[in-house]
């Protein structure tokens, strides 16, 4: 008998012969094999009783490719970038407490993410981005996105919408490696990707609680109904706080709905809303933190300092058009409204910001000069629709003595627009050798004007700049890649930053407040990077070494030398250089039992380059050495136990390098159970040794050897125990 075998699977595109595509081939070949036609072995006859020929039986073997998850597809795409990237799978994060984005961004090389006072306003710095900022400023130096659509605007990034539950995965693209997202910031981009109806349980409930009066709940669910799918998540949380004057509450809603119009057109609408209210404990001295980290700054306590986000809304849409088998077009729109009520000191600040964004991204695959070629052209624009601030009397005294509470003493207007046109190409020069090239054009506009108590000269500026990029990656084997790139970044100041500096009002209730915008230049950097990623045996690694030559970095600067008065302005040239390394190892495996170890190390060497005042001093605010590790045992029935550590070296608090924090090492542990039936349980232990340590600082110009009269530090939490559970109806 003649047996004919058919294979029904699709070869990966020859245009993507990278490390990731080789892995995809393995997934295809490990698919399910279905044999159609039972009883073939008995059909070995040559004819029936009448001598008629027996019909040939055709055996058909169908090999189906195992579907890749959305997170794995994103990881494969990141592996095609010739520079430092990483991906966080939310399934790993949700094995323990998930309170702030510090929990999401843990164990990521090159990322420094530390909470202060247990609130959402954590300090996030990548490659030294926004090194001059503390924890309660808008985030700067990184393009933040939800589902590939921008949150960051000309004013920076407000942080109240960043609820860490409800995510599928998070992409981190460090430095200029975020080029294709339209990011030109020194720190790159962080893209939070929300669950959809395709990867979410139909209904899930999660609850966490523990030390410091902490409790958090989530109700979520999603489904697919024909061509439509949806996901909805509601969360609320409360925390009394580790420190005095650090209580906080939040509640928010995340939702998206997608619709497949046909095989070539899909669209998805996104919605986020969140309210937060956080008391502000203020900064402490290093000695105060060593003695009693639960205390708060006495001034903040006396003034009942709080920061409230009464309700921020982010609405977006992304529509994908598949034009043909080799090209597609993505079109996105965002509306973002984010009012802020700062009750931090004697005066209150009420901010009103509304942004609108639009993005267009066209990509295609071709054969160029007989070589595989992948091209991309994109445009991203974000604009302030409204931007203003009222400064009102909160606690009368000094220049505002005798004025009623709520009296307006200054009104300022802000305007801004960021537009980026970027084009890139990946060309396969030879088998396993790819050349990446790109060029961005950036246009920025900034406007600010004080209109009360009197109108001063408005500040306006428009700038144009260019950011080229050139990279090379070589896949030495299907599992080992070496890469390098040279790129330029261009980072404009936040729109409100122009009005945080002199000249100021010299008399009246607004005395001491800025009256006119100060001219600031765009911060630029040229970065050289070499690295490798891959797998050998049971070890997966990433390693990047970079050096960024920065000009006009936005730091604390003494505008008039010797005056003792410093403000944010453009500094003399600086250099940011470092090492970013991660290693995930399978240490032992037998009969479904596993022991794994993951490690992340960041070396940060940030310095002035022959500054007239500080010479080659180190830039303050980030530890030179930062290490995180976790070892985990997993039982085949779903039980797991892990132990973790975090260690940081001491670092300067001021640009004069006259005063330093102290290095620290803390430990934690997690025990849990992940049931196939949908139950998840965990117990988290943090800071097992109850270590008193500085988690983050707000850098200043010169402490002259002591922070006694100018506290700049925030403590990390002490020993805490947290427990949680979730149940998913699948």
């Amino acid at each position: 008998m003649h047996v004919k075998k058919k294979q029904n699977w699709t070869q990966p595109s020859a245009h993507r012969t990278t490390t990731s595509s080789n892995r995809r081939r393995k997934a295809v070949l490990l698919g399910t094999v279905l044999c159609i036609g039972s009883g073939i072995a008995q059909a070995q006859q040559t004819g029936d009783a009448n001598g008629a020929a027996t019909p040939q039986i055709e055996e058909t073997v169908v090999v189906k490719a195992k579907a890749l998850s959305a997170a794995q597809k994103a990881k494969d795409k990141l592996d095609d970038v010739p520079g430092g990237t990483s991906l966080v799978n939310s399934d790993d994060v949700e094995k323990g407490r998930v309170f702030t984005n510090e929990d999401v961004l843990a164990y990521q090389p090159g990322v420094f993410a530390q909470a202060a006072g247990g609130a959402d306003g954590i300090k996030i710095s990548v490659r030294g981005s926004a090194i001059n900022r503390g924890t309660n400023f808008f985030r700067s130096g990184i393009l933040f996105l939800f589902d590939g659509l921008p949150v960051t605007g000309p004013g920076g990034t407000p942080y109240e919408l960043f609820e860490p539950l409800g995510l599928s995965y998070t992409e981190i693209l460090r430095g200029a490696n975020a080029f294709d997202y339209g990011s030109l910031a020194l720190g790159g981009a962080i893209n939070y990707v929300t669950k959809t109806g395709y990867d979410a349980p139909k209904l899930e409930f999660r609850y966490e609680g523990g030390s410091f009066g902490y409790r958090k709940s989530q109700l979520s669910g999603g489904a697919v109904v024909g061509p439509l799918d949806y996901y909805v998540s509601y969360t609320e949380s409360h925390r009394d706080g580790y420190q005095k004057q650090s209580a906080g509450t939040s509640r928010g809603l995340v939702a998206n709905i997608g619709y497949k119009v046909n095989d070539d057109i899909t669209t998805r609408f996104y919605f986020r809303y969140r309210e937060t209210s956080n008391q502000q404990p203020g900064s402490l001295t290093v000695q105060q933190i060593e003695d009693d980290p639960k205390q708060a700054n006495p001034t903040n306590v006396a003034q009942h300092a709080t920061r409230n986000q009464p309700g921020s809304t982010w609405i977006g849409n992304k529509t994908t058009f598949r034009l043909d088998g080799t090209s597609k077009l993505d079109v996105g729109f965002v509306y973002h409204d984010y009012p802020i009520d700062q009750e931090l000191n004697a005066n209150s600040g009420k901010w009103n910001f509304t942004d609108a964004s639009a993005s267009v991204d066209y990509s295609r695959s071709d054969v160029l000069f007989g070589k595989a070629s992948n091209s991309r052209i994109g445009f991203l624009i974000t604009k302030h629709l409204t931007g203003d601030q009222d400064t009102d009397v909160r606690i009368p005294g000094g220049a505002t003595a005798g004025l009623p509470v709520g009296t307006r003493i200054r009104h300022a207007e802000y305007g801004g627009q960021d537009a980026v046109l970027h084009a890139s190409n990946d060309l396969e020069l030879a088998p396993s050798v790819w050349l990446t090239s790109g060029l961005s054009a950036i246009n920025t506009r900034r406007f600010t004007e004080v209109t009360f108590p009197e109108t001063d000269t408005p500040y306006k500026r428009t700038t144009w700049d260019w950011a080229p990029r050139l990279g090379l990656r070589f896949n030495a084997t299907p599992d080992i890649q070496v890469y390098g790139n040279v790129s330029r970044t261009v980072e404009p100041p936040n729109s409100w930053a122009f009005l945080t500096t002199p000249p100021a009002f010299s008399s009246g209730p607004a005395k001491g407040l800025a009256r006119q915008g100060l001219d600031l230049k765009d911060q630029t950097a040229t970065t050289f990077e070499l690295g490798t990623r891959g797998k050998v045996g049971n070890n997966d690694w990433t390693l990047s070494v970079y050096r960024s030559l920065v000009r006009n970095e936005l730091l604390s600067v003494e505008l008039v030398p010797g005056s003792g008065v410093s403000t944010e302005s453009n500094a003399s040239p600086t250099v940011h250089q470092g090492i970013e390394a991660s290693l995930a190892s399978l240490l032992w495996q037998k009969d479904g039992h596993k022991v794994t170890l993951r490690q992340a190390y960041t070396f940060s060497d940030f310095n002035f380059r022959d500054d007239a005042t500080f010479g080659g001093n180190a830039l303050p605010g980030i530890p030179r050495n930062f290490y995180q590790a976790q070892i985990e045992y997993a039982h085949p029935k779903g039980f797991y136990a892990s132990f973790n550590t975090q260690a940081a070296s001491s670092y300067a608090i001021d640009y004069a390098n006259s005063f330093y924090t102290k290095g620290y090492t803390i430990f934690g542990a997690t025990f849990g159970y992940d049931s196939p039936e949908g139950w998840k349980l965990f117990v988290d232990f943090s800071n097992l040794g109850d270590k008193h340590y500085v988690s983050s600082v707000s850098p200043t110009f010169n402490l002259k050897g002591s922070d006694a009269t100018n506290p700049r530090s925030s403590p990390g939490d002490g020993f805490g125990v947290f427990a949680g559970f979730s149940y998913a109806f699948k």
Side-chain angles (χ1 to χ4, degrees):
M1 181 188 81
H2 172 69
V3 179
K4 180 181 179 182
K5 293 187 179 182
K6 296 180 180 178
Q7 288 183 317
N8 184 24
W9 53 279
T10 303
Q11 289 278 1
S13 170
H15 293 177
R16 302 291 287 178
T17 53
T18 64
T19 300
S20 57
S21 61
N22 283 321
R23 290 173 179 165
R24 287 194 287 270
R25 288 191 181 98
K26 294 178 182 179
V28 169
L29 294 174
L30 291 175
T32 305
V33 178
L34 301 177
C35 294
I36 301 176
S38 61
I40 294 177
Q42 287 75 29
Q44 301 294 326
Q45 305 173 12
T46 58
D48 61 15
N50 298 322
T54 303
Q56 294 182 354
I57 298 176
E58 183 176 283
E59 176 191 356
T60 303
V61 179
V62 181
V63 181
K64 291 186 177 180
K66 182 179 179 181
L68 294 176
S69 67
Q72 184 58 54
K73 291 178 182 178
K75 179 64 169 62
D76 289 347
K77 186 176 178 181
L78 291 177
D79 286 347
D80 289 343
V81 176
T85 65
S86 56
L87 183 138
V88 182
N89 194 314
S90 293
D91 289 340
D92 296 329
V93 178
E94 293 175 7
K95 286 184 174 181
R97 185 195 68 168
V98 186
F99 182 43
T100 71
N101 277 273
E102 179 184 7
D103 301 313
V104 175
L105 300 175
Y107 311 107
Q108 302 307 308
V111 180
F112 182 75
Q114 294 288 292
D120 292 331
I122 68 176
K123 180 167 185 170
I124 301 179
S125 180
V126 177
R127 297 188 174 181
S129 62
I131 200 171
N132 61 315
R133 296 285 168 79
T135 58
N136 288 309
F137 287 87
F138 280 13
R139 292 170 185 159
S140 301
I142 301 172
L143 174 65
F144 288 89
L145 308 107
F146 291 136
D147 301 287
L149 297 172
V151 187
T152 303
T157 309
Y159 54 76
E160 64 274 6
L161 286 171
F162 288 86
E163 168 56 57
L165 286 177
L167 300 175
S168 178
Y169 59 90
T170 300
E171 298 175 323
I172 301 168
L173 300 96
R174 303 187 295 275
N177 299 306
F179 182 93
D180 284 334
Y181 272 127
S183 169
L184 295 177
L186 180 66
I190 298 179
N191 180 35
Y192 298 89
V193 179
T194 317
K195 293 180 181 179
T196 68
Y198 290 99
D199 61 0
K202 291 183 179 179
L203 182 64
E204 182 174 17
F205 176 73
R206 181 183 177 98
Y207 183 83
E208 304 176 357
S211 300
F212 323 130
Y214 170 68
R215 57 185 184 270
K216 183 174 185 177
S217 58
Q218 178 197 28
L219 182 64
S220 63
V224 179
V225 184
L228 180 146
D229 77 280
Y230 68 89
Y231 175 75
V232 180
S233 173
Y234 174 79
T235 58
E236 60 180 31
S237 69
H238 173 82
R239 174 179 159 118
D240 294 337
Y242 174 63
Q243 286 180 269
K244 186 177 181 180
Q245 184 66 30
S246 65
T249 61
S250 72
R251 61 176 182 172
L253 182 69
V254 175
N256 64 72
I257 182 169
Y259 186 75
K260 185 177 181 181
V261 180
N262 54 45
D263 290 341
D264 297 320
I265 303 175
T266 59
T267 189
R268 187 172 298 275
F269 291 89
Y270 302 91
F271 176 81
R272 285 178 177 263
Y273 175 84
R274 196 161 183 250
E275 303 170 3
T276 66
S277 178
N278 293 297
Q279 294 180 339
Q280 301 295 305
S283 297
L284 300 175
T285 68
V286 171
Q287 189 61 50
Q288 285 175 321
I289 291 174
E290 289 187 353
D291 294 340
D292 178 16
K294 292 185 177 181
Q295 64 182 302
N297 187 297
T299 301
N300 283 57
V301 174
Q303 296 179 342
H304 304 289
T306 60
R307 179 186 174 103
N308 304 314
Q309 284 80 26
S312 294
T313 304
W314 186 90
I315 301 172
N317 171 266
K318 180 183 285 186
T319 302
T320 298
F321 303 88
R322 296 197 176 276
L323 305 179
D324 52 44
T326 62
S327 63
K328 69 172 185 174
L329 180 70
D330 292 309
V331 180
F333 299 95
V334 171
Y335 171 84
H336 185 194
D337 180 66
Y338 47 109
I340 299 172
D341 182 9
Q342 292 182 327
E343 307 290 330
L344 300 180
N345 45 49
N347 297 326
S348 67
K350 293 180 171 57
W351 302 74
N352 293 289
F353 279 113
T354 303
D355 292 350
S357 303
S359 62
V360 179
D361 192 279
Y362 172 75
S363 59
R364 65 176 293 115
S365 297
D366 297 285
V367 175
L368 183 63
F369 308 118
K371 303 296 184 180
S373 173
N374 302 302
S375 302
R376 186 168 179 172
I377 300 175
F379 178 70
L380 174 65
I381 183 170
T382 303
K383 178 181 176 61
H384 280 329
L385 298 181
T386 60
D388 63 73
Q389 181 204 16
D390 277 320
T391 304
D392 301 336
V393 175
R394 181 168 174 255
I395 303 174
T400 62
L403 295 178
V405 173
T407 300
R408 186 172 69 170
I409 58 176
R410 192 189 71 168
H411 179 80
E413 301 283 344
Y414 302 95
Q417 174 182 297
D418 294 335
V420 181
L421 176 65
H422 54 97
S424 64
N425 175 263
D426 279 354
L427 179 65
E428 188 179 29
L429 299 179
S432 301
V433 179
W434 290 77
L435 175 69
T436 297
S437 57
L439 180 65
S440 289
I442 177 172
N443 170 251
T444 64
R445 299 178 185 180
R446 294 294 185 264
F447 166 84
T448 186
E449 181 182 18
V450 173
T451 61
F452 184 86
E454 59 186 73
T455 300
D456 213 318
T457 304
Y459 173 82
K460 296 181 180 180
R461 63 158 234 182
T462 298
T463 63
W464 283 92
D465 213 328
W466 303 89
R469 173 171 169 81
L470 191 66
L472 193 70
R473 71 181 192 273
F474 168 56
N475 299 310
T477 73
D479 292 319
I480 299 177
Q481 184 186 94
V482 179
Y483 57 77
N485 72 78
V486 57
S487 309
R488 188 170 188 264
T489 56
V490 181
E491 186 176 324
N494 299 144
S495 57
W496 52 268
F498 294 86
L499 205 59
T500 57
T501 58
F505 288 101
S506 58
S507 61
K511 183 179 179 180
L513 299 178
R515 63 179 298 160
Q516 186 179 15
L518 182 71
D519 188 37
L520 297 176
K521 299 177 181 178
D522 291 347
Q523 173 183 305
T524 63
T526 300
T527 299
F528 304 86
E529 180 179 4
L530 291 173
T532 176
R533 61 170 67 94
K535 179 177 182 178
V536 171
N538 294 324
N539 300 284
D540 286 86
W541 78 85
T542 66
L543 174 66
S544 290
V545 180
Y546 70 93
R547 178 178 173 87
S548 299
L549 304 177
V550 186
R551 291 188 175 275
N552 298 314
E553 185 167 2
L554 295 163
L555 299 175
S556 181
V557 177
E558 197 174 44
L559 296 181
V560 180
S563 67
V565 178
S566 62
T567 187
E568 180 175 297
S569 190
N570 298 114
S572 61
T574 56
V575 58
H576 289 223
Q577 57 190 7
I579 300 172
E580 304 161 337
S582 70
L583 180 64
S585 305
L586 175 61
L587 302 181
W588 176 78
Q589 178 173 281
K590 185 177 181 180
D591 300 329
H593 300 263
K594 291 195 301 184
V595 177
T596 56
L597 173 66
R598 58 174 172 167
Q599 305 174 78
Y601 170 70
T602 302
F603 172 72
S604 302
D605 183 21
F606 308 148
N607 302 278
F608 287 104
R609 287 189 284 161
D610 300 321
D611 182 76
T613 302
F614 298 131
N617 275 10
L619 299 182
I622 300 293
R624 187 176 177 87
N625 297 283
F626 188 62
Y627 174 77
Q628 293 177 299
Q630 180 190 68
I631 186 168
E632 180 182 89
Y633 162 73
H635 189 277
K637 297 296 185 181
F639 295 98
Y640 58 90
S642 66
F643 295 87
N644 62 76
T645 186
Q646 176 178 290
S649 59
S650 64
Y651 53 96
I653 301 177
D654 62 344
Y655 295 92
N657 293 177
S658 73
F659 197 77
Y660 283 71
T661 67
K662 294 185 178 181
Y664 68 86
T665 301
I666 57 174
F667 300 93
T670 302
F671 303 89
Y673 174 62
D674 189 348
S675 164
E677 287 75 32
W679 283 101
K680 293 182 181 180
L681 306 169
F682 73 85
V683 180
D684 238 346
F685 298 86
S686 63
N687 196 355
L688 289 171
D690 198 25
K691 179 75 173 180
H692 297 178
Y693 69 99
V694 173
S695 66
S696 65
V697 303
S698 298
T700 190
F701 188 71
N702 190 348
L703 288 173
K704 298 180 180 179
S706 174
D707 65 344
T709 59
N710 189 7
R712 311 295 297 183
S713 303
S714 298
D717 284 352
F719 171 69
V721 182
F722 307 90
F725 72 91
S726 67
Y727 183 73
F729 298 88
K730 299 183 179 180

